[in-house]
Amino acid sequence: MRLPTVPPTAGLPLQAADLRPWGSENFAQALARWLGVTEVQLECSGTSALMVALRTLKARQPQRSEVIAPAYTCPLVALAVVQCGLHLRLCDLRADTLDMDSACLQALCSEQTLAVLPTHLCGRVADVAAAVLCARAVGAYVIEDAAQALGARINHQSVGLQGDIGFFSLAVGKGLSTFEGGVLISRDAELARALQDHSRRHTRPERWWELRRSVELLGYAALYRPHGLHLAYGKPLQKSLARGDWVEAAGDDFDDFIPQHSLGRWRQRVGARALQRLRDFQQQTRAQAMARIEQLESLGLEVLGDAASDAQGIWPVILIRMPDMQSRNALLKAQWANGCGLSLPFVHVLPDYGRYQHVLAFAQQDTVTQARDWAQRLVAVSNSPWLDSSRFAGLLQDFQQAIGSQNQST
């Protein structure tokens, strides 16, 4: 009998009551209260939210044309930057954390820099303070990429508030989902008004896109279950891996077109109802992660946590840096297709995809050696409650075998 497919991340399952077509729930107000901020701005995706932020800042400082992001990040960041008429520069990472290397960032920052994008990757809280220091020295803005970190906090406040702007994603797998959706926040009231003004002037309802996303959300509600996931995720994953296409398997294959439209009212109501369960769900997954991290570290594995003592990230996945690329790849080749909860945050650093070279013209000379090492050694373990104790115990054995085999070969 085939075992149920485990989702690659811990997404919040929807309930039938969430899907009611009626109601007066105000998602923006509820989410603002949940985050502990005055207001939030809703967009149709996290990428669209980033584009609203970039275009708003570009209007303020039109003479600046460069955006600095980590070399290991979602390809959608590169596509969004270029579609806003800006140039992307890639910053290498530190050797000990997923944060941008401060020396590299300082060297990249100039009078051409419009914004720096520190990234809270997979719910781990980034060192935004270091990015702010470098950006402020040249008069640039800081946009916190918190697409994967809704609910993460630092110093008892939401991530996204240390810089000038923060954005979150409500896509599938990000915890709370309206299938696609985005959220913008800013602690600067004047900047928040500018973001809202830009969105009012340039973002319009799109009936076709909203109908499509609504149907997809219904499909998510129906299939985001242990047995439904084989059809929605497991079979496509197996087909991609059978072709040797890791980029498609990881969901890193994007086209250039990025939709921009308003988030429909029904999907907002769904989000508002599901939000009521999100805190408890994240507390559950955090407790599960803490227990499982101990077991992983007992094998000698390097598990990534939050570097700052006052940070509390969220745990959609548990990130592990394997000893080397060979042991990581051996593990994935043996187990990724089995639906046991293994995945990759991203397959490559941005220059190594090939298919995105057309948006990296200004980043070709940027050195990304350490980021490439991270990309070649990272693996993610799903923190979904549907990865039960017996299957996690099997994963522990798989990790032990992968690192043991590599030790023998060396």
Side-chain angles (χ1 to χ4, degrees):
M1 184 179 68
R2 185 182 66 241
L3 292 173
T5 298
V6 176
T9 62
L12 176 69
L14 294 178
Q15 298 178 355
D18 298 333
L19 306 176
R20 299 191 309 268
W22 58 84
S24 58
E25 295 90 347
N26 188 307
F27 186 31
Q29 290 180 4
L31 189 54
R33 288 193 299 270
W34 193 87
L35 288 169
V37 298
T38 304
E39 59 185 346
V40 304
Q41 181 173 324
L42 299 176
E43 299 295 336
C44 70
S45 69
T47 311
S48 179
L50 172 59
M51 292 173 69
V52 169
L54 289 172
R55 286 171 173 158
T56 300
L57 298 182
K58 184 181 178 184
R60 287 186 154 202
Q61 295 199 23
Q63 75 281 7
R64 294 176 178 251
S65 61
E66 293 185 355
V67 175
I68 302 173
Y72 187 60
T73 192
C74 181
L76 283 171
V77 171
L79 295 172
V81 168
V82 172
Q83 289 200 24
C84 291
L86 299 165
H87 306 309
L88 183 66
R89 300 299 305 272
L90 301 179
C91 187
D92 206 2
L93 302 184
R94 288 172 49 175
D96 57 338
T97 76
L98 287 167
D99 292 311
M100 289 185 284
D101 179 84
S102 295
C104 179
L105 181 57
Q106 189 174 13
L108 287 171
C109 285
S110 72
E111 67 280 356
Q112 290 298 313
T113 306
L114 177 67
V116 176
L117 270 65
T119 302
H120 304 288
L121 183 65
C122 294
R124 307 278 49 80
V125 178
D127 183 4
V128 178
V132 169
L133 188 65
C134 290
R136 292 289 183 266
V138 296
Y141 294 96
V142 172
I143 302 173
E144 290 184 52
D145 181 349
Q148 302 174 351
L150 180 68
R153 305 181 73 80
I154 184 165
N155 195 24
H156 306 293
Q157 70 173 11
S158 172
V159 296
L161 296 170
Q162 290 181 276
D164 300 289
I165 300 171
F167 72 94
F168 305 95
S169 171
L170 304 177
V172 172
K174 300 296 196 298
L176 181 66
S177 180
T178 54
F179 196 86
E180 284 287 356
V183 182
L184 280 166
I185 59 174
S186 178
R187 57 187 170 80
D188 184 321
E190 182 181 349
L191 186 51
R193 286 193 297 271
L195 293 167
Q196 292 166 358
D197 181 62
H198 176 91
S199 194
R200 278 193 297 268
R201 287 186 289 111
H202 298 285
T203 305
R204 297 287 181 269
E206 293 283 352
R207 290 184 179 180
W208 161 246
W209 273 107
E210 189 56 35
L211 175 61
R212 173 176 169 173
R213 295 304 189 213
S214 297
V215 171
E216 289 170 331
L217 182 59
L218 288 170
Y220 171 73
L223 296 176
Y224 195 76
R225 299 288 184 268
H227 292 283
L229 275 164
H230 178 67
L231 178 63
Y233 171 68
K235 288 184 69 175
L237 173 67
Q238 290 171 352
K239 289 180 180 178
S240 298
L241 293 176
R243 293 193 300 269
D245 191 342
W246 283 26
V247 173
E248 184 179 71
D252 289 354
D253 51 330
F254 304 104
D255 58 39
D256 286 8
F257 177 69
I258 300 172
Q260 288 200 276
H261 55 90
S262 55
L263 184 65
R265 291 182 180 179
W266 174 68
R267 289 197 293 142
Q268 290 189 40
R269 295 189 190 109
V270 173
R273 292 163 186 156
L275 178 64
Q276 299 173 35
R277 304 189 304 278
L278 184 61
R279 189 78 70 194
D280 288 343
F281 181 75
Q282 289 185 338
Q283 289 175 353
Q284 176 190 1
T285 53
R286 175 177 175 79
Q288 177 173 275
M290 295 301 102
R292 292 183 170 178
I293 286 171
E294 287 188 16
Q295 298 177 69
L296 290 161
E297 289 181 335
S298 71
L299 300 179
L301 292 167
E302 179 185 358
V303 181
L304 275 66
D306 297 315
S309 59
D310 56 353
Q312 187 176 55
I314 60 169
W315 293 92
V317 298
I318 300 171
L319 282 179
I320 298 164
R321 180 160 61 166
M322 296 292 284
D324 47 50
M325 180 177 65
Q326 290 75 20
S327 59
R328 195 281 303 267
N329 288 355
L331 175 69
L332 289 174
K333 288 176 181 176
Q335 303 299 333
W336 192 1
N338 295 340
C340 59
L342 292 178
S343 66
L344 294 174
F346 310 110
V347 177
H348 302 299
V349 289
L350 288 176
D352 291 352
Y353 281 95
R355 68 183 68 191
Y356 302 117
Q357 292 302 315
H358 63 291
V359 298
L360 297 174
F362 282 79
Q364 295 302 322
Q365 73 275 27
D366 296 333
T367 301
V368 297
T369 305
Q370 190 59 53
R372 183 173 288 110
D373 182 72
W374 277 103
Q376 293 172 345
R377 295 167 58 192
L378 270 183
V379 65
V381 176
S382 173
N383 195 36
S384 169
W386 296 333
L387 178 59
D388 60 29
S389 298
S390 62
R391 293 193 75 181
F392 182 72
L395 268 181
L396 289 175
Q397 293 178 357
D398 296 331
F399 273 102
Q400 192 165 27
Q401 182 176 358
I403 59 179
S405 299
Q406 188 57 33
N407 288 340
Q408 291 175 6
S409 67
T410 56

